[in-house]
Every structure is written in C-alpha cells, then in structure tokens.
Amino acid sequence: QVQLVESGGGSFETGVSLRLSCVAQGFSKPRNCVGWFRQRPGKGREGVAAIYTGGQSVWYATAPRGRFTISHDDAKKTAYLQIANVNPGDTAMYFCAADITRPYCNGGNPRDYQYWGQGTQVTVSS
C-alpha cells in the first residue's frame, strides 16, 4: 500500500527553525519526485520545493526560496523540508506528495503529483 506520512509540525515561535519529515512506504519504483506543498488559511495549495530522489535535482518556488531546504535520505526513504527563521506567514498545513510518472521533478504544480500524505500542521506565533 502506497503511503506518505508527514511529521514534525506543531506550534512554533517566530524565528526558530524546524524540520518536517515525509516517510514513503509501498512505492514500487525506488526513484520518484517528492514535493512539499503548503496550504495557508484561505489559500490554495502551493508548491514549496521538490526533489528527485534518484539524482538529487531540486526545485524551489520563487517566493520562499532561501529559507526552505529540501533533502532526501535514501536509506530511510524519507524526505525532509527544513524551514529557517519561521514567521506567521509560514502558518499552513504542509503536505508531501509523490510524482511517479517522470524521471525528474516538473516543479510545484499539485496536478503533477499522484500520491499525497495527510499533512502536518505548522502554526507560527508572533
């Protein structure tokens, strides 16, 4: 059974750094594109970063670039999203997703991703 499970969310104060994790289970292909998305209150789902687990190529959205770092641990089948210096604007539900159709990452369009986790909530207070 294909499953993506996020963790690492919670309540944080402005200025701290945090790391979200996404464990992938049940994928038949060892190499996929794994993306991180977020949905802020009243907004649509937006891509933040993506990484192709085979070649380590990465994509970042233009807006939050610089504070977000995506990485992947092959042995643990886990993707990470590190967010530095969080602020209330980072408050959102964060999702990871997998695109198993391409041998590369095509960016942050949610429609390109076939499998989704349930999300982990990040709340940042000022």
Side-chain angles (χ1 to χ4, degrees):
Q1 180 182 358
V2 171
Q3 195 173 14
L4 295 167
V5 181
E6 303 96 333
S7 63
S11 296
F12 304 90
E13 293 185 350
T14 294
V16 303
S17 296
L18 62 91
R19 188 177 76 167
L20 306 178
S21 301
C22 170
V23 179
Q25 300 171 337
F27 286 87
S28 58
K29 286 177 57 181
R31 305 300 185 199
N32 300 291
C33 177
V34 178
W36 280 100
F37 295 77
R38 68 181 181 180
Q39 189 160 9
R40 291 181 279 187
K43 304 289 186 181
R45 197 167 294 189
E46 58 179 342
V48 174
I51 187 167
Y52 185 69
T53 63
Q56 295 294 309
S57 65
V58 297
W59 168 87
Y60 289 102
T62 302
R65 184 178 295 183
R67 295 192 298 114
F68 288 65
T69 304
I70 190 170
S71 61
H72 184 264
D73 185 322
D74 278 356
K76 296 181 179 179
K77 297 183 180 180
T78 301
Y80 302 98
L81 181 70
Q82 189 147 357
I83 310 175
N85 191 23
V86 298
N87 61 66
D90 294 319
T91 293
M93 183 72 81
Y94 285 76
F95 301 88
C96 68
D99 172 12
I100 66 170
T101 66
R102 298 176 178 85
Y104 58 89
C105 283
N106 199 40
N109 186 338
R111 289 193 290 267
D112 287 340
Y113 294 78
Q114 301 82 44
Y115 296 96
W116 290 82
Q118 293 299 307
T120 185
Q121 176 69 38
V122 170
T123 302
V124 182
S125 58
S126 57

